[in-house]
Amino acid sequence: MNTKVVLVALTLASIGALVTASSLMPQNAVEEQEFTKLLPILQNLTGISKELLQGIKLFILTRQCEVSLPHKTSLICKAKRILERLTLKKRWKLTDSGFGFMVLDRTPIVHVFKTFLDPFTRFNMEEYLQTVLTSDLTQIVYNVLVKNSSEIRKHYNYKILSKYFAMASKLGGEVALRPSHYEAFVDDKDEWISDKFFTQQRLAGVNPMSLMRVTNSFEAAIGLNWEELEKRLNPTFDWEGAVQTALGTDDSLEEAIDQGRLYALRYEFMDHLPKESDLTDHDNRREMWGTYSPIALFASAQDFITKRNHLVPVAIQMDFKPGSAVYTPEDGDNWMLAKLNLQITDLGYAQIVEHLGKVHLLMEPFCVLLKGAMASEHPIHQMLKYHCRDVTIPNSVGTPALIDPGNYMDQLFAFGSKGTVRLLRDAHRIATWKVTDFRGEIKRRGLDDKELLPYFPYRDDGEQILEVIENMVKEYVDLYYYDNEDVKNDNELENYRKELSAFWSFPWKGRKGKIKGLPASIDTKQELCDFVTRIISQLTIQHAAVNYPLSDYAQYIPNLPTKLYNDTRVKEGEFDVLRLPNRNTSSIEASFTNSLALYRFDTIFDYGNNLKETRAVKLLNRYFGHLMNVVQPEMQEKNQQRKEDGDLTYPYFIPRWLPNGIQT
């Protein structure tokens, strides 16, 4: 090769070593513009003619490079990777969201237009927007059909509303199907708020992330400490007696805690949230409740016949203040109001903290920086780009529709957009790398004991999918990284980790992803496998858990309302349909759940044939086949057994219903 060509390539490599870089192959026109900007620099450095440089440019841009680690590719391909990374890092930048999370620096309309021009993301975006528009249209048609009637007086009207939006969702086509229509599912909506299913929704509903075991130890950092919890509990209520009644034993409260049988829900971020104006109900006879932060206790009781443990409700304190009223399953209508009060809190907390904060916004930097830190031929990029397609669309289009003043959170919840902003800022404090550790989070919450808590579909089905992800990632990494030295020599991987980190040794380059708790280095194949596994599992398992159950449980308003009311026609302490949201609010909630929790563009690990390298194609196809032919039948059989046992099923992790990433 001509020595001047080598000199140019080495010059490009030197420039690239000084800048941050990464993924997804940009359009050639953009690359050419970038190269053109470099021409004067290269001419000064090398002294060769502009014509020769143009020839070198054409040679580099048209070079077909193989999937490889950066230190194992040819000199020309190194130059091409550097040029690609220089281009992409300018187009994919992060900015502070205002809540602490780093998000794509974007104008939503411009971003959508750019995505439309990219063949890799175009069809996903089109289908997503079609699902959202279909949902909006079905709400408009519904309001026309009911002639804007606002009041609902009978439970069956809520069933009709739910059925209408479930049927209308079919207009979205194959990407908007509900697993509950095709898999074993307990669809008796009247029973969902029963004590048994109300309790099981903590383990298989829209928020399986908040329940914690109560402990007596500060040192273990597991579960929720009883001494701290007790400070918030009503001191005049007989908590020990309620626990004994639930367990059917004479064991003391301390003994129940020591046995690991006491569990609790405590939503600290919901304390002191504001009450905003009611935008969707203007009936003078009805007063919307404010935002409460209830505390609920549950117990693991043993069935005297089967000897199998199962979770049962103990009591619900209506707010976090010690003087708040406490109700038990013996308290009739007040118990129903207590359960609905908790449902509202659980839903609002789950969607802002667990869903938007700890999944969507936490993972956005991983996907944005992937495009500018690793070249498209990097093997990790080759895989992760399918799991990242494309979180930036729902984040740029859907997030403002959710949290901006006058939009969904203002319409649906008493704490409104102002409370949402506070929740997001609080969520940022705990949205660290640690939360991506699926097993670690289960253990931290004290929910890993399968004898005391044998029924926990989120945990058990999630672990089954996680094992497949772990095995696939290990084999995939083995294809390209022969030993730990390959990991240490992977400068693109190190660039990616550094740009994601909250701490960087080059402060003049700025902090990019600001992800707290990332490993200080990735030096071994095992560390790399853990890193990649946790990214994929958070984008797949965790997002599915906090998103897709909404399409069932939150669309039936008497199970998961977003507001409760005092109504002059209903006596204090009495439950009546008039305490539930009106037709307008309910249709907004139903439309919102269709927009949010139906769309699935692809299926986990279905992208094997799109990979560039034959070994990777075979590997992904083998794991996809394993998911479909082995894991899926096992999960379907398990769910069928749950239904036969009279338990809620959990179809959301069945492989055919599990997407590759955050798509809505």
Side-chain angles (χ1 to χ4, degrees):
M1 183 184 293
N2 188 298
T3 55
K4 289 187 176 182
V5 173
V6 174
L7 180 58
V8 170
L10 290 173
T11 303
L12 281 170
S14 300
I15 295 171
L18 298 176
V19 296
T20 311
S22 192
S23 84
L24 280 183
M25 201 59 187
Q27 297 176 351
N28 284 340
V30 180
E31 281 189 334
E32 288 190 34
Q33 291 175 10
E34 202 64 39
F35 199 106
T36 300
K37 294 176 184 177
L38 289 173
L39 287 180
I41 299 173
L42 294 175
Q43 280 186 282
N44 290 334
L45 288 172
T46 63
I48 61 178
S49 69
K50 183 177 180 180
E51 290 74 17
L52 181 56
L53 284 173
Q54 290 286 1
I56 295 171
K57 175 191 75 173
L58 182 63
F59 180 71
I60 292 176
L61 293 180
T62 57
R63 178 78 171 185
Q64 295 297 314
C65 297
E66 296 180 348
V67 176
S68 66
L69 298 178
H71 57 284
K72 292 186 175 182
T73 193
S74 68
L75 194 59
I76 296 301
C77 287
K78 285 181 180 178
K80 185 173 182 177
R81 289 168 79 131
I82 291 167
L83 184 58
E84 177 189 350
R85 294 162 58 199
L86 282 167
T87 304
L88 268 294
K89 75 172 195 132
K90 291 186 177 181
R91 295 170 60 193
W92 295 91
K93 298 179 180 179
L94 293 172
T95 188
D96 196 308
S97 63
F99 318 119
F101 294 96
M102 299 301 291
V103 297
L104 178 64
D105 189 1
R106 62 198 171 219
T107 302
I109 298 300
V110 174
H111 179 53
V112 168
F113 180 72
K114 287 181 178 179
T115 305
F116 182 79
L117 296 178
D118 186 347
F120 183 71
T121 55
R122 174 180 174 178
F123 296 110
N124 171 36
M125 183 205 67
E126 288 178 343
E127 296 281 8
Y128 166 69
L129 293 179
Q130 178 181 311
T131 301
V132 173
L133 293 174
T134 300
S135 176
D136 292 342
L137 179 61
T138 58
Q139 185 189 358
I140 293 172
V141 172
Y142 176 80
N143 288 331
V144 171
L145 291 174
V146 299
K147 299 179 181 178
N148 293 318
S149 172
S150 61
E151 192 172 87
I152 292 181
R153 296 300 305 269
K154 301 293 182 182
H155 267 99
Y156 68 79
N157 291 128
Y158 287 108
K159 291 182 182 178
I160 293 172
L161 183 149
S162 178
K163 187 173 182 179
Y164 167 81
F165 279 92
M167 291 176 59
S169 68
K170 295 180 180 179
L171 297 174
E174 292 293 320
V175 297
L177 299 178
R178 298 167 186 263
S180 58
H181 290 175
Y182 300 89
E183 307 290 347
F185 191 73
V186 178
D187 200 28
D188 187 345
K189 294 178 172 57
D190 290 333
E191 286 297 307
W192 286 352
I193 200 63
S194 68
D195 288 355
K196 178 179 180 178
F197 290 153
F198 163 77
T199 301
Q200 288 190 349
Q201 284 183 62
R202 311 309 122 208
L203 307 167
V206 300
N207 181 21
M209 299 300 302
S210 292
L211 188 74
M212 302 182 77
R213 180 162 60 87
V214 178
T215 69
N216 270 323
S217 172
F218 280 102
E219 298 178 2
I222 291 175
L224 186 62
N225 180 264
W226 171 251
E227 288 185 19
E228 287 298 311
L229 181 62
E230 191 178 24
K231 294 175 184 177
R232 291 295 179 188
L233 297 180
N234 188 324
T236 65
F237 180 75
D238 183 7
W239 294 99
E240 183 170 79
V243 171
Q244 289 172 337
T245 298
L247 289 175
T249 70
D250 293 328
D251 292 342
S252 68
L253 181 62
E254 186 173 346
E255 287 174 326
I257 294 173
D258 289 340
Q259 293 166 13
R261 291 190 174 276
L262 195 62
Y263 299 82
L265 292 172
R266 171 74 176 102
Y267 307 94
E268 292 185 18
F269 291 171
M270 304 297 284
D271 297 355
H272 299 296
L273 281 184
K275 178 184 178 182
E276 297 295 304
S277 300
D278 193 342
L279 301 184
T280 59
D281 193 327
H282 307 292
D283 190 331
N284 292 331
R285 296 170 296 181
R286 290 159 58 78
E287 180 188 2
M288 179 179 66
W289 286 20
T291 301
Y292 295 103
S293 181
I295 300 172
L297 290 191
F298 300 85
S300 174
Q302 187 178 78
D303 187 286
F304 292 109
I305 299 175
T306 65
K307 303 301 180 183
R308 190 170 183 263
N309 292 309
H310 61 287
L311 200 67
V312 296
V314 173
I316 297 174
Q317 182 170 302
M318 295 295 279
D319 202 7
F320 72 100
K321 300 171 184 176
S324 299
V326 184
Y327 300 111
T328 74
E330 307 300 318
D331 288 324
D333 280 9
N334 276 324
W335 175 244
M336 174 64 79
L337 290 171
K339 288 191 291 185
L340 292 174
N341 181 40
L342 188 130
Q343 290 283 75
I344 290 171
T345 305
D346 192 70
L347 179 62
Y349 176 87
Q351 291 314 300
I352 300 305
V353 177
E354 298 293 343
H355 188 174
L356 181 57
K358 290 168 66 176
V359 180
H360 277 256
L361 297 180
L362 172 65
M363 298 310 294
E364 183 165 352
F366 287 89
C367 292
V368 171
L369 294 177
L370 176 69
K371 302 172 187 290
M374 286 184 181
S376 57
E377 290 89 0
H378 194 291
I380 301 300
H381 183 174
Q382 281 280 301
M383 176 174 55
L384 285 186
K385 72 177 184 179
Y386 291 97
H387 297 283
C388 281
R389 185 176 55 183
D390 193 339
V391 64
T392 59
I393 291 298
N395 280 13
S396 62
V397 176
T399 301
L402 182 69
I403 69 175
D404 283 358
N407 286 342
Y408 279 124
M409 297 310 293
D410 263 342
Q411 295 169 12
L412 292 176
F413 289 91
F415 57 77
S417 59
K418 291 181 181 178
T420 300
V421 168
R422 207 196 79 183
L423 283 173
L424 282 174
R425 287 174 178 157
D426 287 341
H428 178 254
R429 303 202 321 259
I430 61 173
T432 68
W433 177 243
K434 181 174 70 173
V435 306
T436 64
D437 181 2
F438 184 89
R439 290 193 191 90
E441 286 294 281
I442 295 289
K443 186 174 182 179
R444 180 187 64 80
R445 292 162 58 199
L447 305 182
D448 53 330
D449 190 324
K450 296 186 179 182
E451 288 190 10
L452 287 172
L453 208 60
Y455 172 87
F456 194 179
Y458 162 80
R459 174 196 64 199
D460 299 339
D461 295 3
E463 283 185 348
Q464 190 171 2
I465 297 295
L466 180 62
E467 286 181 7
V468 178
I469 296 174
E470 287 174 328
N471 292 336
M472 187 281 291
V473 170
K474 182 182 183 305
E475 287 195 49
Y476 187 88
V477 166
D478 285 343
L479 292 179
Y480 300 98
Y481 295 83
Y482 297 148
D483 51 33
N484 292 335
E485 287 302 309
D486 276 342
V487 178
K488 294 177 183 178
N489 291 330
D490 187 346
N491 67 297
E492 290 181 6
L493 172 65
E494 178 60 7
N495 283 334
Y496 185 45
R497 187 200 63 79
K498 281 182 177 179
E499 290 195 17
L500 284 167
S501 178
F503 303 99
W504 200 2
S505 58
F506 300 101
W508 59 86
K509 292 185 178 181
R511 294 179 178 179
K512 300 263 180 157
K514 295 187 178 181
I515 305 298
K516 294 172 287 187
L518 277 178
S521 63
I522 302 175
D523 298 323
T524 68
K525 290 172 63 174
Q526 182 55 50
E527 290 172 351
L528 174 58
C529 288
D530 179 66
F531 181 71
V532 175
T533 295
R534 285 168 67 166
I535 293 174
I536 295 176
S537 68
Q538 193 74 2
L539 292 167
T540 55
I541 297 172
Q542 195 57 30
H543 181 254
V546 294
N547 183 64
Y548 291 110
L550 284 167
S551 64
D552 295 308
Y553 296 112
Q555 199 161 90
Y556 183 56
I557 311 305
N559 176 62
L560 266 177
T562 57
K563 301 174 184 176
L564 284 176
Y565 290 83
N566 290 326
D567 192 295
T568 57
R569 294 162 289 181
V570 182
K571 295 179 181 179
E572 185 177 351
E574 180 180 295
F575 173 73
D576 189 276
V577 173
L578 290 172
R579 288 194 179 273
L580 296 174
N582 67 8
R583 196 183 300 273
N584 182 29
T585 311
S586 299
S587 67
I588 293 171
E589 182 177 351
S591 175
F592 165 69
T593 58
N594 272 356
S595 297
L596 195 65
L598 286 180
Y599 178 63
R600 295 170 173 86
F601 179 71
D602 55 21
T603 305
I604 186 170
F605 295 165
D606 67 349
Y607 52 85
N609 289 336
N610 296 324
L611 298 178
K612 294 182 179 180
E613 212 259 340
T614 303
R615 296 176 302 165
V617 171
K618 292 180 178 179
L619 177 65
L620 263 295
N621 284 344
R622 174 158 55 84
Y623 273 96
F624 181 70
H626 175 71
L627 284 168
M628 293 298 137
N629 300 318
V630 178
V631 176
Q632 180 159 290
E634 289 177 358
M635 282 194 173
Q636 288 171 324
E637 183 178 351
K638 186 163 37 176
N639 270 302
Q640 183 61 43
Q641 187 61 54
R642 287 170 180 153
K643 184 175 182 180
E644 292 175 6
D645 291 341
D647 297 327
L648 292 180
T649 67
Y650 200 66
Y652 311 104
F653 288 169
I654 292 175
R656 67 176 289 203
W657 304 107
L658 185 60
N660 279 308
I662 301 170
Q663 297 164 356
T664 180

